[in-house]
Amino acid sequence: MEFDTKLVQIGQEPHPGTGDIVPPIHLASTFEQRAQQDLRYFYGRGENPTREGLERCLASLEDASYALAFSSGQAAGTTALSLLSPGQKLISSDDVYGGTFLLFDLLGRYGITVEYVDLTDLDALDAALTDDTGLVWIETPTNPLLKVADVTAISERAHALGVPVLVDNTFASPVVQRPLALGADISLYSTTKFISGHSDVIGGALVHNSEDFHTRFFRYRTAAGNVPGALDCYLLHRGLKTMSLRVRRQNESAEHLVRLLRESPKIGALHYPGLAAHPQHEIAARQMDGFGSIITFEYLGDVAELLEKVERFAVAVSLGGVRSLIECPALMTHRPIPAETRRRLGIGDNLIRLAVGIEDVRDLAADLERAL
Ligand SMILES: *Cc1c(COP(=O)(O)O)cnc(C)c1O
């Protein structure tokens, strides 16, 4: 079955008996055991049919054997980190989501160290990979600088030492990039972003092919209780149906806006993997199907004034929804990161991030031109 058909049909089979064309939302927290033909539902923290429909669809998008949904992207990340043992080291992209930095900060007390590496530099990765490495965590494209890491090359190097590789694929979405096909072991999603697509759910997911990981993640989730509710699963599955349409439109609009921003005298460095001048443009062209809808740039004017003037862009964190957003990482998403680290990473106080939505791009372009 093709990708776009899976989005609409997997886990959305008409309900036996009634024929509902969308699956019912199973709100029950517990299940009568004698009423089940094949006993498999016990308690909502463990099993829920609405959640399982979403999970089957998510797994199918990467031709994966397993997907588990979580109460947030952070909950999915926490669960993935349970693969690590005291004494082990986590190697991570140095330019990760702000919340991911906060999550990794918690690892020290469990005796796990974190080494941040610029994963666009394979020699730096080779130097960091040691026998005590328990996991390589890639974010690509990175947030907010949109650096692109070569998932296949990194996976080959990590696998040579038996180290599993996780890709936070939130920024790309499964429409644009499928990490398991590129050689990674686990895809992580904040389903809050492109999968929901409507900025009305917080959720996460882990997608992979390992029975061992599945057993461990399922047990961790059931123990920790970081499960999403049935209503949220329903909304996420509803969002998935239009994900391809939304993401393709968002990518096209982003490319249009990049062409416009390139011409503006008010823009310094412009970051977008679709630009031929982007340092990893060739890797992006090889491993991504489209270049995404996040754009970052250095604004040479007054940032506060720009954020005041835009009308079609909401000043808000997050991304991947139908509505276009604008934010300043140093003031908003990356504020928890020490200023010194931000500077070292190249996240200046005048860096602006756009998350392009599905509005008519002529309105978005006119708004930006006016505000700039
Ligand atoms: C939003 C985001 C997360 C965290 O997800 P939540 O759903 O907010 O918990 C993790 N990684 C990336 C790249 C994100 O954009």
Side-chain angles (χ1 to χ4, degrees), residues 113-166:
T113 52
V114 185
E115 185 169 347
Y116 293 101
V117 175
D118 178 354
L119 291 179
T120 62
D121 177 354
L122 293 174
D123 292 335
L125 171 68
D126 283 338
L129 271 171
T130 46
D131 288 341
D132 59 355
T133 306
L135 182 69
V136 175
W137 182 295
I138 308 175
E139 199 174 305
T140 181
T142 63
N143 178 17
L145 294 170
L146 305 173
K147 294 196 285 191
V148 174
D150 186 334
V151 174
T152 305
I154 293 169
S155 300
E156 279 167 4
R157 284 165 160 79
H159 290 163
L161 289 180
V163 178
V165 173
L166 175 149

Side-chain angles (χ1 to χ4, degrees), residues 11-31:
Q12 296 273 351
E13 293 78 15
H15 192 60
T18 61
D20 296 48
I21 200 74
V22 294
I25 305 172
H26 293 268
L27 292 169
S29 60
T30 189
F31 302 88

Side-chain angles (χ1 to χ4, degrees), residues 118-243:
D118 178 354
L119 291 179
T120 62
D121 177 354
L122 293 174
D123 292 335
L125 171 68
D126 283 338
L129 271 171
T130 46
D131 288 341
D132 59 355
T133 306
L135 182 69
V136 175
W137 182 295
I138 308 175
E139 199 174 305
T140 181
T142 63
N143 178 17
L145 294 170
L146 305 173
K147 294 196 285 191
V148 174
D150 186 334
V151 174
T152 305
I154 293 169
S155 300
E156 279 167 4
R157 284 165 160 79
H159 290 163
L161 289 180
V163 178
V165 173
L166 175 149
V167 176
D168 182 340
N169 201 37
T170 302
F171 257 46
S173 91
V175 180
V176 165
Q177 180 168 271
R178 288 171 289 282
L180 303 186
L182 295 169
D185 303 284
I186 303 168
S187 290
L188 178 147
Y189 293 97
S190 165
T191 54
T192 311
K193 315 293 166 54
F194 289 101
I195 289 173
S196 153
H198 293 76
S199 308
D200 53 7
V201 185
I202 299 281
L206 295 174
V207 181
H208 59 88
N209 283 308
S210 158
E211 192 181 342
D212 174 43
F213 289 172
H214 182 66
T215 307
R216 294 165 70 172
F217 293 159
F218 188 84
R219 188 180 300 152
Y220 187 97
R221 187 182 70 175
T222 305
N226 52 1
V227 286
L231 284 169
D232 283 353
C233 291
Y234 178 81
L235 284 173
L236 288 167
H237 207 158
R238 184 189 224 255
L240 270 177
K241 295 180 207 179
T242 55
M243 180 170 64

